[in-house]
């Protein structure tokens, strides 16, 4: 499969280290130059620091809405991972392309860009919109300013294809996510006088046990959706840090937790249940010492995606992928934001496997790249005149 047209662009995009804590402007400049070389204007939407940007471009007619091809340009860190090859140089071995972002998700972006010349040469009756974002891996942050810009446009996409790695399976849903940080302020005391203190770690532990109880209840009672590998909403405590040393009643503790909810599970009700228990704990702490308390901040929130399987975008995506089935994914994507805040009905379908994402020696198979290109070729047949 050495004739894959997207191969040079995959290699080029992987060569940019766009780990989320770095800038992606060099990659975006390359994409802009590439599009300009084909006569396509593009717009950058920078973040508040000016060191990162989203990109938006329209191919074809501008008097009607078209099909959005969307992907994120950032990747997760390689620090501490045992790579057998340079993660930012594509290495081919045994029918696989190794490199950070090959699966998640620069190969999809490269495939979309590789078909720009064909889209233009054949003449587009339906426009193609390119929407590439920054900082997806740290809470879908960048796309929000991109969507704000899109919402101010006179004409927006009528549907969206988000090219996250699904092994080219059409996915109509993903779970929503809300993550939080709770800060417990207790009252320090010598451990020999524990009743005179308020143990911040103890109260954080109470909340962790409560969350575990919620998780077990939901796992047993539902609601359920068998489209998902984990067919119910999950609740998870990920970080707990508190105390200074054993002979001091801890006066502080930090706890990070999240829930990932099914689209039809009321996220506000879940959050309300948790916050009601937090208020109970805080009242108990303050009854012992008024200066104690609990503060909770939301770290990130991603709305769920729940696209009707009969929607036009699902039908089209199945035709392009050459499949009749559909599925849902547990991981969050930008699709829910596009659908809920931009009004763009969306599906998730792209080459590569999420099972290879974020790992050392991340790879995409050449076969998956070929299937991604076949998908894009069928799209060209649908939207082009000739």
């Amino acid at each position: 499969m050495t004739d894959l047209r997207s191969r040079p662009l995959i290699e080029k995009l992987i060569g940019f280290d766009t780990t989320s804590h770095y800038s992606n402007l060099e990659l975006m400049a390359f994409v802009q130059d590439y599009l300009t070389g084909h006569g396509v204007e593009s717009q950058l939407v920078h973040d508040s620091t000016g060191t990162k940007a989203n990109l938006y471009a329209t191919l074809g007619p501008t008097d009607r809405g078209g099909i959005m091809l969307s992907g994120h340009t950032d990747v997760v860190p390689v620090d501490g991972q045992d790579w057998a090859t340079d993660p930012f140089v594509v290495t081919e071995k045994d029918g696989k392309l190794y490199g950070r972002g090959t699966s998640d998700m620069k190969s999809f972006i490269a495939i979309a860009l590789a078909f720009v010349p064909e889209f233009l040469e054949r003449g587009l009756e339906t426009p193609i919109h390119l929407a590439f974002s920054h900082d997806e891996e740290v809470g879908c942050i960048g796309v929000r300013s991109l969507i704000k810009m899109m919402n101010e446009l006179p004409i927006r996409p009528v549907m969206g294809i988000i090219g996250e790695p699904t092994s080219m399976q059409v996915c109509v849903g993903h779970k929503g996510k809300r993550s939080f940080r709770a800060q417990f302020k207790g009252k320090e005391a010598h451990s020999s006088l524990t009743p005179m203190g308020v143990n911040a770690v103890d109260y954080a532990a109470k909340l962790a046990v409560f969350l575990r109880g919620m998780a077990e209840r939901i796992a047993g009672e539902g609601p359920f959706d068998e489209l998902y590998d984990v067919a119910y909403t999950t609740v998870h405590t990920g970080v707990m840090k508190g105390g200074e040393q054993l002979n001091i009643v801890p006066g502080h503790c930090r706890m990070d937790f999240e829930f990932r909810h099914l689209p039809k599970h009321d996220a506000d009700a879940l959050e309300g249940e948790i916050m009601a228990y937090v208020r109970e704990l805080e009242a108990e702490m303050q009854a012992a010492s008024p200066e104690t308390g609990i503060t909770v901040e939301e770290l990130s929130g991603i709305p769920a995606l729940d696209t009707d399987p009969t929607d036009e975008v699902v039908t089209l995506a199945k035709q392009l992928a050459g499949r009749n089935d559909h599925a849902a994914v547990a991981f969050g994507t930008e699709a829910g934001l596009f659908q809920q805040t931009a009004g763009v009905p969306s599906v998730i379908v792209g080459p590569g496997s999420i099972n290879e994402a974020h790992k050392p020696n991340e790879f995409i198979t050449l076969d998956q790249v070929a299937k991604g290109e076949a998908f894009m070729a069928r799209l060209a047949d649908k939207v082009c005149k000739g």
Side-chain angles (χ1 to χ4, degrees), residues 47-109:
D47 72 345
S48 60
T49 70
T51 62
K52 298 181 181 182
N54 307 293
L55 180 144
Y56 189 80
T58 296
L59 316 179
T62 58
D63 61 348
R64 69 203 75 168
I67 300 166
M68 179 183 69
L69 304 177
S70 177
H72 63 83
T73 62
D74 61 316
V75 296
V76 298
V78 299
D79 303 337
Q81 294 186 338
D82 185 17
W83 281 76
T85 61
D86 187 333
F88 299 106
V89 176
V90 171
T91 302
E92 180 180 346
K93 183 179 180 181
D94 299 328
K96 301 171 183 176
L97 299 179
Y98 290 87
R100 173 58 85 222
T102 49
S103 183
D104 185 18
M105 57 174 293
K106 288 180 176 178
S107 292
F108 175 81
I109 295 175

Side-chain angles (χ1 to χ4, degrees), residues 177-243:
K177 173 188 172 182
R178 294 188 188 180
S179 63
F180 303 88
R181 173 165 294 164
Q183 300 275 8
F184 293 77
K185 180 184 178 184
K187 180 181 178 182
E188 291 187 347
H190 193 280
S191 62
S192 65
L193 303 171
T194 54
M196 297 182 182
V198 178
N199 191 316
V201 170
D202 280 358
Y203 280 96
K206 285 186 176 184
L207 179 57
V209 171
F210 177 82
L211 295 174
R212 177 59 183 265
M214 278 186 70
E216 291 175 346
R217 184 192 77 224
I218 295 168
E221 300 176 1
F224 301 102
D225 188 336
E226 298 304 326
L227 272 182
Y228 291 84
D229 290 340
V230 179
Y232 48 84
T233 295
T234 58
V235 187
H236 161 73
T237 299
V239 176
M240 186 180 291
K241 295 182 178 180

Side-chain angles (χ1 to χ4, degrees), residues 116-132:
V116 166
E118 180 171 340
F119 287 138
L120 298 174
E121 289 167 9
R122 294 176 61 180
L124 287 157
E125 292 183 321
T126 301
I128 295 293
H129 309 281
L130 303 177
F132 303 147

Side-chain angles (χ1 to χ4, degrees), residues 165-167 169-175 219 223-234 260-263 323 325-332 353-356:
T166 66
S167 299
Q169 185 169 44
V170 177
C171 295
V172 299
H174 68 67
K175 292 182 177 180
F224 301 102
D225 188 336
E226 298 304 326
L227 272 182
Y228 291 84
D229 290 340
V230 179
Y232 48 84
T233 295
T234 58
R260 294 176 182 258
H261 64 95
L262 294 174
R323 317 179 57 130
D325 60 334
H326 60 268
V329 293
F331 59 89
S353 170
I354 195 64
N355 293 330
E356 305 308 326

Side-chain angles (χ1 to χ4, degrees), residues 297-308:
E297 63 174 316
E298 183 171 330
L299 298 176
S300 65
I302 304 170
L305 174 71
D306 189 22
T307 302
D308 188 327

Side-chain angles (χ1 to χ4, degrees), residues 197-319:
V198 178
N199 191 316
V201 170
D202 280 358
Y203 280 96
K206 285 186 176 184
L207 179 57
V209 171
F210 177 82
L211 295 174
R212 177 59 183 265
M214 278 186 70
E216 291 175 346
R217 184 192 77 224
I218 295 168
E221 300 176 1
F224 301 102
D225 188 336
E226 298 304 326
L227 272 182
Y228 291 84
D229 290 340
V230 179
Y232 48 84
T233 295
T234 58
V235 187
H236 161 73
T237 299
V239 176
M240 186 180 291
K241 295 182 178 180
E244 298 294 340
Q245 59 187 51
L246 184 58
N247 63 354
I248 301 175
V249 174
H252 60 86
C253 187
R254 179 192 121 199
M255 176 178 159
D256 295 351
F257 62 93
E258 69 172 27
F259 60 82
R260 294 176 182 258
H261 64 95
L262 294 174
K264 292 181 172 62
H265 201 165
D266 188 337
D268 289 337
L270 289 166
E271 182 175 341
E273 181 180 353
I274 295 168
M275 295 312 164
Y277 184 69
V278 168
R279 288 191 292 271
E280 289 180 22
L281 290 178
E282 185 175 55
E284 186 179 329
M285 295 173 71
Q286 292 180 343
S289 182
E291 71 270 22
T292 62
I294 308 169
T295 60
V296 180
E297 63 174 316
E298 183 171 330
L299 298 176
S300 65
I302 304 170
L305 174 71
D306 189 22
T307 302
D308 188 327
T310 65
D311 195 283
E312 182 182 5
V313 68
V314 181
T315 302
L316 173 65
K318 288 180 178 180
Q319 292 171 351

Side-chain angles (χ1 to χ4, degrees), residues 324-358:
N324 294 317
D325 60 334
H326 60 268
V329 293
F331 59 89
T333 79
E334 297 169 335
L337 284 162
F338 278 117
Q339 181 153 320
Q340 293 197 26
T341 63
V344 180
S346 298
V347 294
I348 311 160
V349 54
S353 170
I354 195 64
N355 293 330
E356 305 308 326
H358 299 192

